[in-house]
């Protein structure tokens, strides 16, 4: 008999009536022949209220006691849910995280799951019980209660589904699926019928608040199909799996992080380890860095820009200023009024001109782009916060995301992608949430062109990439960063065969706009580290930086995403860089 995990979020268990409705759903699934494990969140806004209560007592509550407090919310829900099922004449038993055997590390308020022992759950299922599991919590080696971070019940649900080899994990929530973007910001947003794990991962961290990101990482690591549906309607919902809705269109969704902040460190001495020091220290404090862009200035000093969530800015600034002093950097600047808009899609990898189209649509609306990073399946632009929502709407319209995409002919292929590897991966993992590196690839077929001083005006990126594409050049990676004197620095890569055409186009463009002559290299090396958990394990970029620095390899371009870290280095340093990264990530490489 197959196992089904059903997770009910806070709004789905907000009152007695809703608890009864959820109980009926579970009973129905059991009647249809499945063993059912329910994972429940705290009722309604309980967790918020508990956080609030704690703040009324102290502004700095001990993390261990926070976990003690917050875990009570879920304990209430599971007990009531078990009573609800009993009252309907069925067998049920509730368990806390500790009783379930969810072992975590001891990072209170953001613990990671190490292991799950399923004996007790299985025994209860065999007895015909519906098992009701408290979401969001676990227990550390010292038997202290831990929580997995806000929204963590999703992660509990998918982790249980993985550990139990469940057929599926259903996530019941107050929206009826995953949308092409946040419908509150863009009313034309459309519900997707399906979405690929990588797409969902990129969208989730890019600002689509549907699910806890770590839960999608779990789902991908263990190939658990996740079905997001509404508790309040019978809408079909959205299935998250290896299979995207379509590969025929380049973009499947768009997202916005409204509260980002940019930091720029100017004049970082160009010696091994300088950039690495900054990111290592940030990672040490668990501060995730997002769009990282570095350009090597002419005087041998580098400028590095990156973004963090706005709430992390004070802490990030403190760290960066301290490291900056030690390193002897020229200046640390920041802008706390920025937003990041991203478009995501597995189909992007197969189509040219996607970035150009995005830039052109933004230019048409007079939206200035402050930074750009691209990876295989995501393009992100940083804009002024005041223009964030408009940028999102513009991107959504430009790629016609309100329209259902044509189905892809090869619908059944991707399933194979993960299934076979699953057991092997599980066997190699020490902790269920460990970083997994799938491959470290070296691409020596590309060239790079850089224009160092593009005036910071709307429309120039659009114009440049339009000219580049007219010259028949297929651009791969693009990074735009904050240059000197309010100028922007733009670098992009392309197949070597098109290097001359790209350079010539960039020359003409620079002359036209009054920028200095571009520089370039006919052959660069692009290294791609692919895996799962690349961002939630905040130290990945820092480790790559450090390892390359120690090997004396200069990083020319970098872009980070949820599933990939791309680094461009000089052509003759590619092999060494690849070896260095393989050594650095040898433990995590499977
Ligand atoms: N109750 C917790 C929260 O509100 C966990 C969850 O709902 O997923 O963050
Ligand atoms: Mg919640």
């Amino acid at each position: 008999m197959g196992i089904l995990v059903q997770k009910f979020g806070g709004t789905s268990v907000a009152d007695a009536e809703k608890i009864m409705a959820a109980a009926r759903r579970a009973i129905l699934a059991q009647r249809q022949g499945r063993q059912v494990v329910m994972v429940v969140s705290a009722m309604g806004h309980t967790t918020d209220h508990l956080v609030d209560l704690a703040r009324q007592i102290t502004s700095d509550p001990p993390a261990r006691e926070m976990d003690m407090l917050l875990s009570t919310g879920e304990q209430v829900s599971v007990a009531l849910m078990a009573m609800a099922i009993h009252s309907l004449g069925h067998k049920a038993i509730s368990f806390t995280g500790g009783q379930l055997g969810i072992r975590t590390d001891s990072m209170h308020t953001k613990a990671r799951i190490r292991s799950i022992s399923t004996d007790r759950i299985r025994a209860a299922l065999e007895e015909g019980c519906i098992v009701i599991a408290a979401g969001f919590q676990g227990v550390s080696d010292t038997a202290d209660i831990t929580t997995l971070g806000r929204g963590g019940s999703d992660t509990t649900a998918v982790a249980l589904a993985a550990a139990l080899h469940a057929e599926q994990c259903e996530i019941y929530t107050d929206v009826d699926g995953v949308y092409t973007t946040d419908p509150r910001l863009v009313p034309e947003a459309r519900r997707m019928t399906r979405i690929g794990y990588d797409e969902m991962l990129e969208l989730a961290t890019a600002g689509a608040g549907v699910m806890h990101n770590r839960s999608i990482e779990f789902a991908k690591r263990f190939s658990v199909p996740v079905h997001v549906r509404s508790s309040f309607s019978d809408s079909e919902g959205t299935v998250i799996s290896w299979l995207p809705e379509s590969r025929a269109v380049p973009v499947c969704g768009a997202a916005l992080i409204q509260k980002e902040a940019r930091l720029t460190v100017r004049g970082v001495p160009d010696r091994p380890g300088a950039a690495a020091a900054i990111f290592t220290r940030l990672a040490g404090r668990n501060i995730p860095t997002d769009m990282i862009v570095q350009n090597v200035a002419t005087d041998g000093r580098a400028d590095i820009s990156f973004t963090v969530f706005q709430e992390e800015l004070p802490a990030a600034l403190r760290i960066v200023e301290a490291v900056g002093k030690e390193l002897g950097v020229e200046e640390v600047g920041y802008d706390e009024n920025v937003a990041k808009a991203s478009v995501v899609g597995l189909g992007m990898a197969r189509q040219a001109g996607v970035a150009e189209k995005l830039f052109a649509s933004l230019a048409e609306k007079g939206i200035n782009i402050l930074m750009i990073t691209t990876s295989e399946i995501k393009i992100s632009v940083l804009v002024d916060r005041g223009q964030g929502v408009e940028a999102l709407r513009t991107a959504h319209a430009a790629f016609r995301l309100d329209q259902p995409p044509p189905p892809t002919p090869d619908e059944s292929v991707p399933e194979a992608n993960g299934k076979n590897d699953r057991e092997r991966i599980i066997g190699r993992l020490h902790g269920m949430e460990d970083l997994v590196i799938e491959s470290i690839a070296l691409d020596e077929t590309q060239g790079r062109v850089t224009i160092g001083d593009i005036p910071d005006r709307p429309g120039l990126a659009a114009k440049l990439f339009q000219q580049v594409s007219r010259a028949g050049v297929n651009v791969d990676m693009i990074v735009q960063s904050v240059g000197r004197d309010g100028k922007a620095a733009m670098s992009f890569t392309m197949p070597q065969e098109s290097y001359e055409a790209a350079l010539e186009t960039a020359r003409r463009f620079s002359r036209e706009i009054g920028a200095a002559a571009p520089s370039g290299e006919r052959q660069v090396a692009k290294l791609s580290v692919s895996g799962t958990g690349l961002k939630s394990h905040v130290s990945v970029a820092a480790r790559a930086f450090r390892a390359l620095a120690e090997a004396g390899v200069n990083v020319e371009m970098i872009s980070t995403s949820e599933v990939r870290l791309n680094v461009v280095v000089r052509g003759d340093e590619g092999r060494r860089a690849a070896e260095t990264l393989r050594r650095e990530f040898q433990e995590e490489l499977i």
Side-chain angles (χ1 to χ4, degrees):
M1 199 174 2
I3 296 176
L4 175 68
V5 174
Q6 295 186 317
K7 182 254 170 180
F8 293 87
T11 45
S12 307
V13 292
D15 54 37
E17 209 179 300
K18 289 184 176 133
I19 290 176
M20 292 305 290
R24 279 188 207 101
R25 262 195 206 275
I27 292 169
L28 184 68
Q30 195 189 41
R31 279 219 190 100
Q32 288 165 349
R34 250 98 63 97
Q35 294 188 321
V36 181
V37 176
M38 295 174 91
V39 174
V40 258
S41 291
M43 293 171 68
H45 296 289
T46 304
T47 311
D48 291 332
H49 292 151
L50 293 171
V51 170
D52 206 54
L53 257 177
R55 297 266 176 256
Q56 288 176 37
I57 305 269
T58 165
S59 62
D60 193 18
R64 180 186 181 280
E65 305 311 329
M66 255 340 245
D67 281 352
M68 212 53 176
L69 178 69
L70 297 191
S71 60
T72 62
E74 272 70 12
Q75 201 172 328
V76 170
S77 316
V78 288
L80 292 173
M81 188 64 78
M83 293 175 196
I85 291 174
H86 283 162
S87 77
L88 293 168
H90 289 259
K91 281 164 81 173
I93 181 167
S94 68
F95 291 123
T96 63
Q99 290 172 330
L100 283 168
I102 298 188
R103 289 306 191 111
T104 71
D105 60 22
S106 52
M107 287 287 279
H108 284 288
T109 76
K110 45 182 171 234
R112 280 178 183 278
I113 298 177
R114 287 225 174 109
S115 65
I116 298 180
S117 62
T118 53
D119 302 352
R120 195 149 181 203
I121 305 179
R122 285 192 191 277
L125 289 173
E126 288 310 319
E127 280 169 29
C129 284
I130 292 179
V131 168
I132 326 242
F136 176 54
Q137 52 180 268
V139 65
S140 72
D141 282 344
T142 48
D144 290 303
I145 296 175
T146 53
T147 65
L148 308 179
R150 294 304 306 272
S153 298
D154 289 340
T155 295
T156 305
V158 181
L160 279 175
L164 291 163
H165 298 266
E167 280 172 7
Q168 199 172 55
C169 179
E170 294 181 337
I171 303 282
Y172 286 95
T173 173
D174 51 356
V175 293
D176 66 349
V178 180
Y179 278 68
T180 49
T181 197
D182 185 343
R184 286 165 301 185
L185 300 177
V186 184
E188 308 86 82
R190 182 183 61 82
R191 180 178 58 79
M192 292 179 250
T193 55
R194 331 186 46 106
I195 182 169
Y197 289 126
D198 284 352
E199 293 174 324
M200 189 65 217
L201 272 170
E202 296 291 5
L203 280 177
T205 29
V210 199
M211 278 186 76
H212 200 225
N213 208 42
R214 275 159 54 195
S215 68
I216 317 289
E217 292 181 358
F218 256 110
K220 182 186 168 194
R221 269 191 204 99
F222 299 101
S223 292
V224 178
V226 175
H227 193 171
V228 182
R229 351 184 24 177
S230 164
S231 312
F232 312 122
S233 80
D234 278 320
S235 159
E236 268 174 61
T238 304
V239 176
I240 308 168
S241 70
W242 291 109
L243 196 64
E245 193 171 44
S246 167
R247 288 172 194 270
V249 290
V251 172
C252 76
L256 179 70
I257 297 185
Q258 267 167 302
K259 294 193 170 167
E260 287 244 303
R262 173 188 57 79
L263 284 98
T264 297
V265 193
R266 287 188 201 289
V268 180
D270 195 14
R271 62 164 191 266
I278 296 173
F279 294 105
T280 306
R281 289 275 272 275
L282 288 164
R285 291 295 182 77
N286 233 330
I287 298 180
T289 46
D290 191 13
M291 302 173 81
I292 303 176
V293 177
Q294 147 164 307
N295 9 302
V296 176
T298 36
D299 55 4
R301 283 177 166 249
D303 293 346
I304 298 171
S305 294
F306 60 94
T307 60
V308 296
F309 293 125
Q310 196 193 9
E311 69 213 36
E312 311 264 25
L313 178 66
L317 258 181
R318 242 178 289 131
I319 294 168
V320 173
E321 269 161 5
V323 193
K325 239 186 232 132
E326 290 160 29
L327 294 172
V329 307
E330 281 162 20
E331 182 195 8
V332 178
Y334 67 92
D335 182 349
E336 52 180 335
N337 248 317
V338 290
K340 184 184 79 166
S342 306
V343 294
V344 170
L346 279 171
M348 204 178 279
R350 297 188 183 177
Q351 289 188 32
V354 183
E356 179 201 332
K357 186 165 175 182
L358 174 67
F359 303 156
S361 69
L362 296 172
E364 215 174 277
K365 293 275 158 67
I367 298 171
N368 192 26
I369 303 173
L370 306 171
M371 272 169 76
I372 301 169
T373 56
T374 68
S375 76
E376 282 65 13
I377 66 165
K378 180 171 76 172
I379 303 169
S380 297
V381 296
L382 196 71
V383 300
D384 273 333
R385 187 166 305 151
Q387 293 182 309
V389 174
E390 202 191 351
L392 182 69
R393 285 204 183 118
T394 304
H396 196 269
F399 292 101
R400 314 213 46 178
L401 296 182
D402 57 324
Q403 302 293 324
T408 329
D410 58 351
E411 291 272 351
S412 58
V413 184
E415 208 67 34
N417 199 349
K419 279 272 162 60
N420 301 340
D421 288 343
R422 178 168 160 172
E423 296 306 322
R424 192 167 58 89
I425 292 176
I426 294 173
R428 284 286 313 258
L429 289 178
H430 305 296
M432 291 187 83
E433 293 201 64
D434 282 359
L435 172 68
V436 173
I437 306 280
E438 281 142 24
S439 69
I440 296 177
L442 169 64
D443 172 1
E444 298 183 290
T445 66
Q446 301 200 46
R448 169 186 64 86
V449 167
T450 299
I451 307 174
D453 58 345
I454 300 180
D456 191 16
R457 269 204 315 268
L460 289 183
K463 186 169 169 168
L464 170 63
F465 290 105
Q466 199 171 45
Q467 293 182 3
V468 169
S469 106
R470 272 204 206 115
V473 176
N474 244 331
V475 171
D476 179 28
M477 194 170 150
I478 302 173
V479 302
Q480 178 194 312
S481 70
V482 184
R484 298 270 161 137
D485 313 317
K487 304 260 171 87
M490 182 86 74
S491 295
F492 60 99
T493 66
M494 76 297 299
Q496 265 161 52
E497 314 84 79
S498 339
Y499 172 71
E500 271 78 24
L503 187 62
E504 188 43 43
T505 311
R507 274 202 193 108
R508 233 181 306 119
F509 172 80
S510 298
R511 266 199 304 273
E512 244 174 73
I513 63 162
S519 60
E521 274 168 286
R522 189 165 207 290
Q523 197 220 335
V524 290
K526 177 178 162 190
L527 296 127
S528 303
V529 180
S530 311
T532 308
L534 259 48
K535 272 234 171 117
S536 59
H537 288 263
V538 296
S539 61
V540 173
R543 281 172 59 191
F545 259 118
R546 169 159 304 282
L548 291 171
E550 276 164 9
V553 177
N554 193 25
V555 175
E556 298 187 332
M557 289 166 77
I558 180 163
S559 79
T560 61
S561 88
E562 209 42 59
V563 294
R564 220 177 264 219
L565 171 77
N566 289 316
V567 179
V568 172
V569 303
R570 240 175 40 210
D572 58 1
E573 294 189 328
R575 302 248 152 123
R576 201 147 51 85
E579 274 158 33
T580 305
L581 291 179
R582 283 195 190 113
R583 219 173 307 121
E584 175 64 32
F585 293 107
Q586 157 187 330
E587 290 259 316
E588 290 92 353
L589 197 61
I590 39 184

